[in-house]
């Protein structure tokens, strides 16, 4: 989860907590809110969850390394070649 999501989730938790007179709250503890507030909190949580899922589909958000040490994105496209180790021969 990127920092943007964490900040948004924290802000939602803070708003829920403020409704109870506390410094923070949780999406699972919204009984003290009005029905409209509960619906809005659920809406924001759903939007954050959807945004996280969409972000995960971006191939640049899921980097890994292949067997040669190259950095590859989520689609397997090499985005950064690995540095060749000294003394190691490459095949042509």
């Amino acid at each position: 989860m990127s920092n943007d999501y964490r900040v948004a989730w924290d802000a939602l938790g803070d708003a829920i907590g403020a409704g109870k007179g506390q410094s923070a709250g949780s999406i699972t503890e919204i009984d003290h809110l009005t029905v409209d507030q509960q619906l809005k909190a659920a809406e924001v949580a759903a939007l954050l969850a959807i945004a996280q899922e969409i972000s995960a589909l971006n191939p640049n958000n899921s980097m890994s390394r292949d067997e040669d040490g190259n950095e590859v994105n989520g689609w397997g496209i090499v985005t950064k070649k690995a540095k060749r180790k000294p003394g190691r021969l490459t095949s042509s």
Side-chain angles (χ1 to χ4, degrees), residues 42-85:
E43 178 183 335
V44 170
L47 288 171
L48 283 167
I50 291 166
Q52 285 176 283
E53 291 297 320
I54 290 172
S55 180
L57 295 175
N58 181 343
N60 292 324
N61 288 342
S62 56
M63 300 299 227
S64 61
R65 297 211 177 266
D66 65 11
E67 61 276 356
D68 296 325
N70 299 318
E71 190 174 282
V72 297
N73 66 19
W75 290 336
I77 298 170
V78 174
T79 58
K80 186 176 180 183
K81 286 253 185 212
K83 292 183 180 178
R84 197 174 65 120
K85 294 182 182 175

Side-chain angles (χ1 to χ4, degrees), residues 17-28:
K20 199 172 187 177
Q22 300 176 342
S23 61
S26 168
I27 191 65
T28 61

